[in-house]
Amino acid sequence: MNDANKKDAASQPKGLLPFWPHYVLSELIAWYVILGVLVTLSAILPAGLEDKANPLLTPEHVKPEWYFLSVYQFLKVAAVFSFLGAEAPRLLGVLIPGILLALLFFLPFLDRGPKRPARQRPWMLALVVIVLLVVIALTIWGQYS
Amino acid sequence: MQAVRFNPALWFNAGLDWLDERVGIRELVATLLHVVIPRSAHTYYLGGITLFLFGSQAVTGILLSLYYQPTPESAYNSILYIMNELNFGWLIRSVHAWGANLMIIFCILHLLRVVIQGAYKAPREITWMAGMGLLFVTLGFGFTGYLLPWDQRAYWATTVGTEIAAAVPLIGVNIRDFMRGGADVSALTLSRFLGVHMLILPAALIGLLLVHLFIIHQQGLADPHATEEK
């Protein structure tokens, strides 16, 4: 850090932080910690490998990766929609998560309120908590069913 | 001037001067780095960590590609070779596998941070949508990469995963067969999953990332305590 930069940092208004080098340094420290986490996890639990793929032998418990489990489980749970017709469970099982993801994609256009602080948007916090709980519950259910 | 000694700082500056005369590198670096962010904008470094994990995935992925053989006959054995015989092969593959999981976790944490702080609101709609695109690309990386070891888990997870697409109305079966390159998961599926994993998704991720970062640079970080944008 040269003198010009030092002067920059000192002359900043109180509420502002220079991106370089202050923020970048903190970010690099965070990266270093994550690198340590990666290597530690890899040493304790190395990536596994099952038997070679056999298209003729279906294993007992076929599951997708954890990040797809909630959608996968919802597709199974969607069987409750069978009173709407024979095709309804499969259709709604895919359409409902798809529509929810599309809504999330367009979130800035749906939530146009100007307030940003979380405490002034309690309904949004409540929605986040509910969605999180449902997704986590579906994931755990999917893991143990 | 006395004796000419090797001085790295001088050489570096001379190199910068050379570039500066031609492409104005000093001004570019100053524009990119000398910006300010609100002290109250707590990012918790989540987006940056996701970016670091992508870098780690790129490096370990390129190293794995040097030894991986993408055919149903030899894919499994090449993974066995990487895990059991190649020096540090087990470490590179394990870091790649853990990095994939952590990258998705940090994507989601980053998304939650932005939602809770209301940082997605106008005028940051494009940053948000590019970010959602990055999340989808990251999930695509996970889905396509999962098949590559060609073990039982990989094969059957891909079979049920692609089967989900078949539930889409009207064109569902066509989507499934397009993803698989036929009615079943086969050598063709492996080829196209590898192509998507190593060519299409990296290009898509870098493109979306440039949009994401460029707009953040132009607009600055959102101040969570400010109610309205000036």
Side-chain angles (χ1 to χ4, degrees), chain A residues 6-126:
Chain A
K6 251 182 220 163
K7 227 188 281 166
D8 271 5
S11 64
Q12 290 308 336
K14 255 198 171 157
L16 296 176
L17 186 75
F19 177 72
W20 175 269
H22 297 63
Y23 186 83
V24 172
L25 179 64
S26 320
E27 184 77 64
L28 288 179
I29 293 170
W31 290 13
Y32 195 60
V33 172
I34 293 296
L35 181 64
V37 170
L38 262 182
V39 174
T40 309
L41 284 173
S42 300
I44 296 171
L45 266 174
L49 192 62
E50 292 191 355
D51 290 340
K52 189 174 173 177
N54 183 355
L56 302 175
L57 183 75
T58 313
E60 268 184 42
H61 301 287
V62 179
K63 281 195 196 84
E65 271 281 64
W66 63 268
Y67 36 87
F68 294 123
L69 259 183
S70 55
V71 174
Y72 185 65
Q73 185 61 27
F74 182 78
L75 194 64
K76 287 199 216 160
V77 172
V80 297
F81 296 119
S82 57
F83 65 90
L84 292 171
E87 278 299 303
R90 261 161 75 83
L91 199 66
L92 291 174
V94 172
L95 275 186
I96 291 174
I99 290 169
L100 288 178
L101 275 176
L103 288 179
L104 187 63
F105 186 85
F106 292 110
L107 179 63
F109 301 100
L110 303 172
D111 173 21
R112 291 163 164 278
K115 286 177 189 161
R116 247 196 247 122
R119 278 179 206 155
Q120 295 174 32
R121 299 151 56 230
W123 51 270
M124 180 51 99
L125 270 188

Side-chain angles (χ1 to χ4, degrees), chain B residues 1 11 15 30 63 79 102-104 117 147 162 168 171 180 192 207 216:
Chain B
M1 280 278 278
W11 282 48
L63 290 175
I79 299 291
L102 287 186
M103 195 172 161
I104 289 165
Q117 292 185 348
L147 176 68
T162 45
V168 172
I171 51 166
R180 291 180 179 176
R192 53 185 67 187
I216 293 169

Side-chain angles (χ1 to χ4, degrees), chain B residues 106-121:
Chain B
F106 276 96
C107 259
I108 294 169
L109 291 177
H110 181 48
L111 180 142
L112 286 174
R113 193 275 288 177
V114 168
V115 170
I116 290 167
Q117 292 185 348
Y120 55 86
K121 296 192 170 200

